[in-house]
Amino acid sequence: EIVLTQSPGTLSLSPGERAALSCRASQSITRSYLAWYQQKPGQAPRLLMYGVSNRATGIPDRFSGSGSGTDFTLTISRLEPEDFAVYYCQQYGGSPPLTFGGGTKVEIK
Amino acid sequence: QVQLQESGPGLVKPSETLSLTCTVSGGSLGGYFWTWIRQSADKGLEWIGRISANGPNDYCPSLRSRISMSVDTSKNQVSLKLISLTAADTAVYYCVRENWYFDLWGRGTLVTVSS
């Protein structure tokens, strides 16, 4: 089973600032099969990125993903008020079980 | 527009069986895996397992002995059964379409295991 570790646990930033969220895997992820999700209170997670750096439909270009192997980053270039949420990484390259990271909460400073 | 809707009991007693149904509207079951994911404060997001309309199932190893999933293509529904419930099974259960990654989620249904 691939374990995903996200850091930091909480990121306190102001609107307009840049956010960089880290996701580290316990073993190399096949073919960049890594996705990111955003979750707001009371809602289901929403797909943001897949294949490390591909934005899902309707996701603004202030969101970008990078990385390879075991180290991945989700960057939000300029935080908008609606971006304050919890973000999860997830790998789908290995054999089941498919696994998620523990999440990074981006909160308003 | 494809939508997923989970349904089932909100409260189940310990040792009993949980039965959840996911109804897929606006599209067919073919061509995808249909996945159950649960979320709790203790364990975060946990992949339970997946099923396709005409292929094999995959189940989370730690839950395999207690899970079964099925598909009813005539009703466009996917079902989950989880037996021998304990308080640790208390969570929000999501029905999710898997297209390698999870691109479409239901709203989720809260299941509480309590006597």
Side-chain angles (χ1 to χ4, degrees):
Chain A
E1 175 177 327
I2 298 177
V3 177
L4 299 177
T5 303
Q6 291 188 242
S7 60
T10 302
L11 204 48
S12 299
L13 296 167
S14 301
E17 289 194 295
R18 181 175 176 273
L21 287 64
S22 173
C23 176
R24 179 161 290 179
S26 60
Q27 56 187 276
S28 185
I29 292 179
T30 307
R31 294 196 214 172
S32 300
Y33 284 165
L34 186 105
W36 289 91
Y37 301 84
Q38 176 193 67
Q39 186 177 32
K40 297 180 180 178
Q43 296 183 16
R46 175 175 74 141
L47 177 67
L48 283 181
M49 314 288 297
Y50 62 93
V52 175
S53 59
N54 300 288
R55 280 185 296 276
T57 303
I59 302 303
D61 60 8
R62 63 180 181 272
F63 290 90
S64 63
S66 61
S68 63
T70 60
D71 289 303
F72 302 90
T73 301
L74 175 70
T75 301
I76 311 171
S77 59
R78 288 178 57 86
L79 283 163
E80 298 287 340
E82 62 268 28
D83 299 336
F84 291 92
V86 181
Y87 293 83
Y88 296 95
C89 58
Q90 177 249 330
Q91 64 81 20
Y92 52 98
S95 301
L98 307 184
T99 51
F100 292 86
T104 291
K105 182 180 181 181
V106 179
E107 65 175 22
I108 299 177
K109 186 174 181 181
Chain B
Q1 183 181 358
V2 180
Q3 293 185 314
L4 312 180
Q5 179 65 59
E6 305 90 347
S7 58
L11 180 65
V12 188
K13 289 183 168 54
S15 79
E16 292 189 344
T17 296
L18 172 66
S19 294
L20 294 177
T21 298
C22 173
T23 301
V24 180
S25 58
S28 74
L29 297 179
Y32 299 97
F33 277 109
W34 301 92
T35 296
W36 290 93
I37 292 169
R38 66 183 183 181
Q39 185 174 30
S40 63
D42 286 348
K43 296 181 184 177
L45 289 163
E46 183 180 21
W47 181 85
I48 297 172
R50 64 186 179 191
I51 188 171
S52 65
N54 54 11
N57 303 347
D58 289 306
Y59 296 152
C60 178
S62 63
L63 297 171
R64 185 173 287 134
S65 63
R66 298 197 292 129
I67 296 173
S68 63
M69 294 183 184
S70 61
V71 167
D72 186 335
T73 54
S74 67
K75 294 181 180 178
N76 241 28
Q77 289 179 335
V78 179
S79 296
L80 167 70
K81 273 191 170 55
L82 181 62
I83 67 171
S84 305
L85 291 176
T86 70
D89 295 310
T90 294
V92 176
Y93 285 74
Y94 293 102
C95 174
V96 186
R97 186 177 74 179
E98 182 182 329
N99 186 15
W100 290 94
Y101 38 85
F102 304 123
D103 67 348
L104 186 64
W105 295 63
R107 288 188 164 187
T109 185
L110 174 62
V111 174
T112 302
V113 181
S114 174
S115 55

CSV table of all heavy atoms in Angstrom, one decimal, chain A residues 2-8 11 18-37 49-54 64-76 87-94 99-101 103-104:
chain,number,residue,atom,x,y,z
A,2,ILE,N,0.6,2.2,-0.9
A,2,ILE,CA,1.3,3.5,-1.0
A,2,ILE,C,0.8,4.4,0.1
A,2,ILE,O,-0.4,4.7,0.0
A,2,ILE,CB,1.3,4.1,-2.4
A,2,ILE,CG1,1.9,3.1,-3.4
A,2,ILE,CG2,1.9,5.4,-2.4
A,2,ILE,CD1,1.8,3.6,-4.8
A,3,VAL,N,1.6,4.9,1.0
A,3,VAL,CA,1.2,5.9,2.0
A,3,VAL,C,1.6,7.3,1.5
A,3,VAL,O,2.7,7.5,1.0
A,3,VAL,CB,1.9,5.6,3.3
A,3,VAL,CG1,1.5,6.7,4.3
A,3,VAL,CG2,1.5,4.2,3.8
A,4,LEU,N,0.6,8.2,1.5
A,4,LEU,CA,0.8,9.6,1.1
A,4,LEU,C,0.8,10.5,2.4
A,4,LEU,O,-0.1,10.4,3.2
A,4,LEU,CB,-0.3,10.0,0.2
A,4,LEU,CG,-0.4,9.2,-1.1
A,4,LEU,CD1,-1.6,9.8,-1.9
A,4,LEU,CD2,0.8,9.3,-2.0
A,5,THR,N,1.9,11.3,2.5
A,5,THR,CA,2.0,12.2,3.6
A,5,THR,C,1.9,13.6,3.1
A,5,THR,O,2.8,14.0,2.3
A,5,THR,CB,3.3,12.0,4.3
A,5,THR,OG1,3.4,10.6,4.8
A,5,THR,CG2,3.5,12.9,5.6
A,6,GLN,N,1.0,14.4,3.6
A,6,GLN,CA,0.8,15.8,3.2
A,6,GLN,C,1.3,16.7,4.2
A,6,GLN,O,1.2,16.5,5.4
A,6,GLN,CB,-0.7,16.1,2.9
A,6,GLN,CG,-1.2,15.4,1.7
A,6,GLN,CD,-2.6,15.8,1.3
A,6,GLN,OE1,-3.6,15.0,1.4
A,6,GLN,NE2,-2.8,17.1,1.0
A,7,SER,N,1.9,17.8,3.8
A,7,SER,CA,2.4,18.8,4.7
A,7,SER,C,2.3,20.2,4.0
A,7,SER,O,2.3,20.3,2.8
A,7,SER,CB,3.9,18.6,5.1
A,7,SER,OG,4.7,18.6,3.9
A,8,PRO,N,2.1,21.3,4.9
A,8,PRO,CA,1.9,21.2,6.3
A,8,PRO,C,0.4,20.7,6.6
A,8,PRO,O,-0.4,20.6,5.6
A,8,PRO,CB,2.1,22.6,6.8
A,8,PRO,CG,1.6,23.4,5.6
A,8,PRO,CD,2.0,22.7,4.4
A,11,LEU,N,-2.2,25.5,6.7
A,11,LEU,CA,-1.5,26.6,6.1
A,11,LEU,C,-2.3,27.9,6.3
A,11,LEU,O,-3.5,27.9,5.9
A,11,LEU,CB,-1.3,26.3,4.6
A,11,LEU,CG,-0.2,27.0,3.7
A,11,LEU,CD1,1.1,26.9,4.4
A,11,LEU,CD2,-0.2,26.3,2.4
A,18,ARG,N,0.4,33.3,-2.2
A,18,ARG,CA,0.6,32.0,-2.9
A,18,ARG,C,0.7,30.9,-1.9
A,18,ARG,O,1.3,31.0,-0.8
A,18,ARG,CB,2.0,32.1,-3.6
A,18,ARG,CG,2.4,30.9,-4.4
A,18,ARG,CD,3.7,31.3,-5.1
A,18,ARG,NE,4.3,30.2,-5.9
A,18,ARG,CZ,5.1,29.3,-5.4
A,18,ARG,NH1,5.5,29.4,-4.1
A,18,ARG,NH2,5.6,28.3,-6.1
A,19,ALA,N,0.1,29.7,-2.3
A,19,ALA,CA,0.1,28.6,-1.4
A,19,ALA,C,0.8,27.4,-2.1
A,19,ALA,O,0.5,27.2,-3.3
A,19,ALA,CB,-1.4,28.2,-1.1
A,20,ALA,N,1.6,26.7,-1.3
A,20,ALA,CA,2.3,25.5,-1.9
A,20,ALA,C,2.1,24.4,-0.9
A,20,ALA,O,2.5,24.4,0.2
A,20,ALA,CB,3.8,25.8,-2.0
A,21,LEU,N,1.4,23.3,-1.4
A,21,LEU,CA,1.0,22.2,-0.6
A,21,LEU,C,1.8,21.0,-1.1
A,21,LEU,O,1.9,20.7,-2.3
A,21,LEU,CB,-0.5,21.9,-0.8
A,21,LEU,CG,-1.5,22.8,-0.1
A,21,LEU,CD1,-1.4,24.2,-0.7
A,21,LEU,CD2,-2.9,22.2,-0.3
A,22,SER,N,2.4,20.2,-0.1
A,22,SER,CA,3.2,19.1,-0.5
A,22,SER,C,2.6,17.8,-0.2
A,22,SER,O,1.8,17.6,0.7
A,22,SER,CB,4.5,19.2,0.4
A,22,SER,OG,5.3,18.1,0.3
A,23,CYS,N,2.9,16.8,-1.1
A,23,CYS,CA,2.4,15.4,-0.9
A,23,CYS,C,3.6,14.5,-1.2
A,23,CYS,O,4.2,14.6,-2.3
A,23,CYS,CB,1.3,15.2,-1.9
A,23,CYS,SG,0.6,13.5,-2.0
A,24,ARG,N,3.9,13.7,-0.3
A,24,ARG,CA,5.1,12.8,-0.4
A,24,ARG,C,4.6,11.4,-0.3
A,24,ARG,O,3.9,11.0,0.6
A,24,ARG,CB,6.1,13.1,0.6
A,24,ARG,CG,7.3,12.2,0.6
A,24,ARG,CD,8.5,12.8,1.3
A,24,ARG,NE,9.0,13.9,0.7
A,24,ARG,CZ,10.0,14.6,1.2
A,24,ARG,NH1,10.6,14.3,2.3
A,24,ARG,NH2,10.5,15.7,0.5
A,25,ALA,N,5.0,10.5,-1.3
A,25,ALA,CA,4.6,9.1,-1.4
A,25,ALA,C,5.7,8.2,-0.8
A,25,ALA,O,6.9,8.5,-0.9
A,25,ALA,CB,4.3,8.7,-2.8
A,26,SER,N,5.2,7.1,-0.2
A,26,SER,CA,6.2,6.1,0.4
A,26,SER,C,6.9,5.3,-0.7
A,26,SER,O,7.9,4.7,-0.4
A,26,SER,CB,5.4,5.2,1.3
A,26,SER,OG,4.4,4.5,0.6
A,27,GLN,N,6.4,5.3,-1.9
A,27,GLN,CA,7.1,4.7,-3.0
A,27,GLN,C,6.8,5.5,-4.3
A,27,GLN,O,5.8,6.2,-4.3
A,27,GLN,CB,6.8,3.2,-3.1
A,27,GLN,CG,5.4,2.9,-3.2
A,27,GLN,CD,5.1,1.4,-3.2
A,27,GLN,OE1,5.2,0.7,-4.2
A,27,GLN,NE2,4.7,0.9,-2.0
A,28,SER,N,7.6,5.3,-5.3
A,28,SER,CA,7.4,6.0,-6.5
A,28,SER,C,6.0,5.7,-7.1
A,28,SER,O,5.6,4.6,-7.2
A,28,SER,CB,8.5,5.7,-7.5
A,28,SER,OG,8.3,6.5,-8.7
A,29,ILE,N,5.3,6.8,-7.6
A,29,ILE,CA,4.0,6.6,-8.2
A,29,ILE,C,4.1,6.4,-9.7
A,29,ILE,O,4.7,7.2,-10.4
A,29,ILE,CB,3.1,7.8,-7.8
A,29,ILE,CG1,2.8,7.8,-6.3
A,29,ILE,CG2,1.8,7.8,-8.6
A,29,ILE,CD1,2.0,9.0,-5.8
A,30,THR,N,3.5,5.3,-10.1
A,30,THR,CA,3.5,4.9,-11.5
A,30,THR,C,2.9,6.0,-12.4
A,30,THR,O,1.8,6.5,-12.2
A,30,THR,CB,2.7,3.6,-11.7
A,30,THR,OG1,3.3,2.7,-10.8
A,30,THR,CG2,2.9,3.1,-13.1
A,31,ARG,N,3.6,6.3,-13.5
A,31,ARG,CA,3.1,7.1,-14.6
A,31,ARG,C,2.4,8.4,-14.1
A,31,ARG,O,1.5,8.9,-14.7
A,31,ARG,CB,2.1,6.3,-15.4
A,31,ARG,CG,2.7,5.2,-16.2
A,31,ARG,CD,1.7,4.7,-17.2
A,31,ARG,NE,1.7,3.3,-17.4
A,31,ARG,CZ,0.9,2.6,-18.2
A,31,ARG,NH1,-0.1,3.2,-18.8
A,31,ARG,NH2,1.0,1.3,-18.3
A,32,SER,N,2.9,9.0,-13.0
A,32,SER,CA,2.4,10.3,-12.5
A,32,SER,C,0.9,10.2,-12.2
A,32,SER,O,0.1,11.1,-12.5
A,32,SER,CB,2.7,11.4,-13.6
A,32,SER,OG,4.0,11.5,-13.8
A,33,TYR,N,0.4,9.1,-11.8
A,33,TYR,CA,-1.0,8.9,-11.5
A,33,TYR,C,-1.3,9.5,-10.1
A,33,TYR,O,-1.6,8.7,-9.1
A,33,TYR,CB,-1.3,7.4,-11.5
A,33,TYR,CG,-1.5,6.8,-12.9
A,33,TYR,CD1,-1.5,5.5,-13.1
A,33,TYR,CD2,-1.6,7.7,-14.0
A,33,TYR,CE1,-1.6,4.9,-14.4
A,33,TYR,CE2,-1.7,7.2,-15.3
A,33,TYR,CZ,-1.7,5.8,-15.5
A,33,TYR,OH,-1.8,5.3,-16.7
A,34,LEU,N,-1.2,10.8,-10.0
A,34,LEU,CA,-1.5,11.5,-8.8
A,34,LEU,C,-2.6,12.5,-9.0
A,34,LEU,O,-2.5,13.3,-10.0
A,34,LEU,CB,-0.3,12.1,-8.2
A,34,LEU,CG,-0.6,12.7,-6.8
A,34,LEU,CD1,0.0,11.9,-5.7
A,34,LEU,CD2,-0.1,14.2,-6.7
A,35,ALA,N,-3.6,12.6,-8.1
A,35,ALA,CA,-4.6,13.6,-8.3
A,35,ALA,C,-4.7,14.4,-7.0
A,35,ALA,O,-4.2,14.1,-5.9
A,35,ALA,CB,-6.0,12.9,-8.5
A,36,TRP,N,-5.4,15.6,-7.1
A,36,TRP,CA,-5.6,16.5,-6.0
A,36,TRP,C,-7.1,16.8,-6.0
A,36,TRP,O,-7.8,16.9,-7.0
A,36,TRP,CB,-4.9,17.8,-6.1
A,36,TRP,CG,-3.4,17.7,-6.0
A,36,TRP,CD1,-2.5,17.5,-7.0
A,36,TRP,CD2,-2.6,17.9,-4.8
A,36,TRP,NE1,-1.2,17.5,-6.4
A,36,TRP,CE2,-1.3,17.7,-5.1
A,36,TRP,CE3,-3.0,18.1,-3.4
A,36,TRP,CZ2,-0.2,17.8,-4.1
A,36,TRP,CZ3,-2.0,18.2,-2.5
A,36,TRP,CH2,-0.6,18.0,-2.8
A,37,TYR,N,-7.6,16.9,-4.7
A,37,TYR,CA,-9.1,17.2,-4.5
A,37,TYR,C,-9.2,18.4,-3.5
A,37,TYR,O,-8.3,18.6,-2.6
A,37,TYR,CB,-9.8,16.0,-3.9
A,37,TYR,CG,-9.7,14.8,-4.8
A,37,TYR,CD1,-8.6,14.0,-4.8
A,37,TYR,CD2,-10.7,14.5,-5.8
A,37,TYR,CE1,-8.5,12.9,-5.6
A,37,TYR,CE2,-10.6,13.4,-6.6
A,37,TYR,CZ,-9.5,12.6,-6.5
A,37,TYR,OH,-9.4,11.5,-7.4
A,49,MET,N,-7.1,18.3,-9.9
A,49,MET,CA,-6.0,18.0,-10.8
A,49,MET,C,-5.9,16.5,-10.9
A,49,MET,O,-6.2,15.7,-10.0
A,49,MET,CB,-4.6,18.5,-10.2
A,49,MET,CG,-4.6,19.9,-9.7
A,49,MET,SD,-4.7,21.1,-10.9
A,49,MET,CE,-3.2,20.8,-11.9
A,50,TYR,N,-5.4,16.0,-12.1
A,50,TYR,CA,-5.1,14.6,-12.3
A,50,TYR,C,-3.9,14.5,-13.1
A,50,TYR,O,-3.5,15.4,-13.8
A,50,TYR,CB,-6.3,13.9,-13.0
A,50,TYR,CG,-6.7,14.4,-14.3
A,50,TYR,CD1,-6.1,13.8,-15.5
A,50,TYR,CD2,-7.5,15.5,-14.5
A,50,TYR,CE1,-6.5,14.3,-16.7
A,50,TYR,CE2,-7.9,16.0,-15.7
A,50,TYR,CZ,-7.3,15.4,-16.8
A,50,TYR,OH,-7.6,15.9,-18.1
A,51,GLY,N,-3.3,13.3,-13.1
A,51,GLY,CA,-2.0,13.1,-13.8
A,51,GLY,C,-1.0,14.2,-13.4
A,51,GLY,O,-0.3,14.7,-14.3
A,52,VAL,N,-1.0,14.5,-12.2
A,52,VAL,CA,-0.1,15.5,-11.5
A,52,VAL,C,-0.4,16.9,-11.9
A,52,VAL,O,-0.6,17.8,-11.0
A,52,VAL,CB,1.4,15.2,-11.8
A,52,VAL,CG1,2.3,16.3,-11.3
A,52,VAL,CG2,1.8,13.8,-11.3
A,53,SER,N,-0.5,17.2,-13.2
A,53,SER,CA,-0.5,18.6,-13.6
A,53,SER,C,-1.7,19.0,-14.6
A,53,SER,O,-1.7,20.1,-15.1
A,53,SER,CB,0.8,19.0,-14.4
A,53,SER,OG,1.0,18.1,-15.5
A,54,ASN,N,-2.7,18.1,-14.7
A,54,ASN,CA,-3.8,18.4,-15.6
A,54,ASN,C,-5.0,18.9,-14.8
A,54,ASN,O,-5.4,18.2,-13.8
A,54,ASN,CB,-4.2,17.2,-16.4
A,54,ASN,CG,-3.1,16.6,-17.2
A,54,ASN,OD1,-2.8,17.2,-18.3
A,54,ASN,ND2,-2.5,15.5,-16.8
A,64,SER,N,-2.1,24.9,-10.0
A,64,SER,CA,-1.1,24.1,-10.8
A,64,SER,C,-0.5,23.0,-10.0
A,64,SER,O,-0.4,23.1,-8.8
A,64,SER,CB,0.0,25.0,-11.4
A,64,SER,OG,0.7,25.6,-10.4
A,65,GLY,N,-0.1,21.9,-10.7
A,65,GLY,CA,0.5,20.8,-10.0
A,65,GLY,C,1.8,20.4,-10.6
A,65,GLY,O,2.0,20.6,-11.8
A,66,SER,N,2.7,19.9,-9.8
A,66,SER,CA,4.0,19.6,-10.3
A,66,SER,C,4.5,18.4,-9.5
A,66,SER,O,4.0,18.0,-8.4
A,66,SER,CB,5.0,20.7,-10.3
A,66,SER,OG,5.1,21.2,-8.9
A,67,GLY,N,5.7,17.8,-10.0
A,67,GLY,CA,6.3,16.8,-9.2
A,67,GLY,C,6.4,15.5,-10.0
A,67,GLY,O,5.8,15.3,-11.1
A,68,SER,N,7.1,14.6,-9.4
A,68,SER,CA,7.3,13.2,-10.0
A,68,SER,C,7.9,12.3,-9.0
A,68,SER,O,8.4,12.7,-8.0
A,68,SER,CB,8.2,13.3,-11.3
A,68,SER,OG,9.5,13.7,-10.9
A,69,GLY,N,7.8,11.0,-9.3
A,69,GLY,CA,8.4,10.0,-8.4
A,69,GLY,C,7.6,9.9,-7.1
A,69,GLY,O,6.5,9.4,-7.0
A,70,THR,N,8.2,10.5,-6.0
A,70,THR,CA,7.6,10.5,-4.7
A,70,THR,C,7.2,11.9,-4.2
A,70,THR,O,6.6,11.9,-3.1
A,70,THR,CB,8.5,9.8,-3.7
A,70,THR,OG1,9.7,10.6,-3.6
A,70,THR,CG2,8.8,8.4,-4.1
A,71,ASP,N,7.6,13.0,-4.8
A,71,ASP,CA,7.3,14.3,-4.3
A,71,ASP,C,6.5,15.1,-5.3
A,71,ASP,O,6.9,15.3,-6.4
A,71,ASP,CB,8.7,15.0,-4.0
A,71,ASP,CG,9.4,14.4,-2.9
A,71,ASP,OD1,8.8,14.4,-1.8
A,71,ASP,OD2,10.5,14.0,-3.0
A,72,PHE,N,5.4,15.7,-4.7
A,72,PHE,CA,4.4,16.4,-5.6
A,72,PHE,C,4.0,17.6,-4.8
A,72,PHE,O,4.0,17.7,-3.6
A,72,PHE,CB,3.2,15.5,-5.9
A,72,PHE,CG,3.6,14.2,-6.6
A,72,PHE,CD1,3.9,13.1,-5.8
A,72,PHE,CD2,3.7,14.2,-7.9
A,72,PHE,CE1,4.3,11.9,-6.5
A,72,PHE,CE2,4.0,13.0,-8.6
A,72,PHE,CZ,4.3,11.9,-7.9
A,73,THR,N,3.6,18.7,-5.6
A,73,THR,CA,3.2,19.9,-5.1
A,73,THR,C,2.0,20.5,-5.8
A,73,THR,O,1.9,20.4,-7.0
A,73,THR,CB,4.3,21.0,-5.2
A,73,THR,OG1,5.5,20.5,-4.5
A,73,THR,CG2,3.9,22.3,-4.6
A,74,LEU,N,1.0,20.9,-5.0
A,74,LEU,CA,-0.1,21.7,-5.6
A,74,LEU,C,0.2,23.2,-5.2
A,74,LEU,O,0.4,23.5,-4.0
A,74,LEU,CB,-1.4,21.2,-4.9
A,74,LEU,CG,-2.6,22.1,-5.3
A,74,LEU,CD1,-3.0,21.8,-6.8
A,74,LEU,CD2,-3.8,21.7,-4.4
A,75,THR,N,0.1,24.0,-6.2
A,75,THR,CA,0.4,25.5,-6.0
A,75,THR,C,-0.9,26.2,-6.4
A,75,THR,O,-1.5,26.0,-7.4
A,75,THR,CB,1.6,26.0,-6.8
A,75,THR,OG1,2.7,25.2,-6.5
A,75,THR,CG2,1.8,27.4,-6.6
A,76,ILE,N,-1.3,27.2,-5.5
A,76,ILE,CA,-2.3,28.1,-5.8
A,76,ILE,C,-1.6,29.5,-5.9
A,76,ILE,O,-1.1,30.0,-4.9
A,76,ILE,CB,-3.4,28.1,-4.7
A,76,ILE,CG1,-3.9,26.7,-4.4
A,76,ILE,CG2,-4.6,29.0,-5.2
A,76,ILE,CD1,-4.8,26.6,-3.2
A,87,TYR,N,-7.4,20.3,1.2
A,87,TYR,CA,-6.9,19.7,0.0
A,87,TYR,C,-6.3,18.3,0.2
A,87,TYR,O,-5.5,18.2,1.2
A,87,TYR,CB,-5.9,20.6,-0.7
A,87,TYR,CG,-6.5,21.9,-1.2
A,87,TYR,CD1,-6.7,23.0,-0.3
A,87,TYR,CD2,-6.9,22.1,-2.5
A,87,TYR,CE1,-7.3,24.2,-0.7
A,87,TYR,CE2,-7.5,23.2,-2.9
A,87,TYR,CZ,-7.7,24.3,-2.0
A,87,TYR,OH,-8.3,25.4,-2.4
A,88,TYR,N,-6.6,17.4,-0.6
A,88,TYR,CA,-6.1,16.0,-0.5
A,88,TYR,C,-5.4,15.6,-1.8
A,88,TYR,O,-5.9,15.9,-2.9
A,88,TYR,CB,-7.3,15.0,-0.2
A,88,TYR,CG,-8.0,15.2,1.0
A,88,TYR,CD1,-9.2,16.0,1.1
A,88,TYR,CD2,-7.6,14.7,2.2
A,88,TYR,CE1,-9.9,16.2,2.3
A,88,TYR,CE2,-8.3,14.9,3.4
A,88,TYR,CZ,-9.5,15.6,3.4
A,88,TYR,OH,-10.2,15.8,4.6
A,89,CYS,N,-4.3,14.9,-1.6
A,89,CYS,CA,-3.7,14.2,-2.7
A,89,CYS,C,-4.2,12.7,-2.7
A,89,CYS,O,-4.6,12.2,-1.7
A,89,CYS,CB,-2.2,14.3,-2.8
A,89,CYS,SG,-1.3,13.7,-1.3
A,90,GLN,N,-4.1,12.1,-3.9
A,90,GLN,CA,-4.5,10.7,-4.0
A,90,GLN,C,-3.8,10.0,-5.1
A,90,GLN,O,-3.5,10.6,-6.2
A,90,GLN,CB,-6.0,10.7,-4.3
A,90,GLN,CG,-6.6,9.3,-4.5
A,90,GLN,CD,-7.0,9.0,-5.9
A,90,GLN,OE1,-7.4,9.9,-6.7
A,90,GLN,NE2,-7.0,7.8,-6.4
A,91,GLN,N,-3.3,8.8,-4.9
A,91,GLN,CA,-2.6,8.1,-5.9
A,91,GLN,C,-3.5,7.0,-6.5
A,91,GLN,O,-4.3,6.3,-5.8
A,91,GLN,CB,-1.3,7.5,-5.4
A,91,GLN,CG,-1.5,6.4,-4.3
A,91,GLN,CD,-1.8,5.1,-4.8
A,91,GLN,OE1,-1.5,4.8,-6.0
A,91,GLN,NE2,-2.3,4.2,-4.0
A,92,TYR,N,-3.4,6.8,-7.8
A,92,TYR,CA,-4.2,5.8,-8.5
A,92,TYR,C,-3.3,4.9,-9.4
A,92,TYR,O,-3.8,4.3,-10.4
A,92,TYR,CB,-5.4,6.4,-9.3
A,92,TYR,CG,-5.1,7.5,-10.2
A,92,TYR,CD1,-4.9,7.3,-11.6
A,92,TYR,CD2,-4.9,8.8,-9.8
A,92,TYR,CE1,-4.7,8.3,-12.5
A,92,TYR,CE2,-4.7,9.9,-10.6
A,92,TYR,CZ,-4.5,9.6,-12.0
A,92,TYR,OH,-4.3,10.7,-12.8
A,93,GLY,N,-2.0,4.9,-9.2
A,93,GLY,CA,-1.1,4.2,-10.0
A,93,GLY,C,-0.7,2.8,-9.6
A,93,GLY,O,-0.3,2.0,-10.4
A,94,GLY,N,-0.9,2.5,-8.3
A,94,GLY,CA,-0.5,1.2,-7.8
A,94,GLY,C,-1.7,0.3,-7.8
A,94,GLY,O,-2.8,0.6,-8.1
A,99,THR,N,-5.1,5.2,-2.4
A,99,THR,CA,-5.0,5.8,-1.1
A,99,THR,C,-5.0,7.4,-1.2
A,99,THR,O,-4.6,7.9,-2.3
A,99,THR,CB,-3.7,5.4,-0.4
A,99,THR,OG1,-2.6,5.5,-1.3
A,99,THR,CG2,-3.7,3.9,0.1
A,100,PHE,N,-5.3,8.0,-0.1
A,100,PHE,CA,-5.4,9.4,0.0
A,100,PHE,C,-4.3,9.9,1.0
A,100,PHE,O,-4.0,9.2,2.0
A,100,PHE,CB,-6.7,9.9,0.5
A,100,PHE,CG,-7.8,9.7,-0.5
A,100,PHE,CD1,-8.5,8.5,-0.6
A,100,PHE,CD2,-8.2,10.8,-1.4
A,100,PHE,CE1,-9.6,8.4,-1.5
A,100,PHE,CE2,-9.3,10.6,-2.3
A,100,PHE,CZ,-9.9,9.4,-2.3
A,101,GLY,N,-3.9,11.1,0.9
A,101,GLY,CA,-3.1,11.8,2.0
A,101,GLY,C,-4.1,12.2,3.1
A,101,GLY,O,-5.3,12.2,2.9
A,103,GLY,N,-4.5,15.2,4.2
A,103,GLY,CA,-5.1,16.6,3.9
A,103,GLY,C,-4.3,17.7,4.4
A,103,GLY,O,-3.5,17.6,5.4
A,104,THR,N,-4.4,18.9,3.8
A,104,THR,CA,-3.8,20.1,4.2
A,104,THR,C,-5.0,21.1,4.2
A,104,THR,O,-5.7,21.3,3.2
A,104,THR,CB,-2.7,20.7,3.3
A,104,THR,OG1,-1.6,19.8,3.4
A,104,THR,CG2,-2.3,22.1,3.6
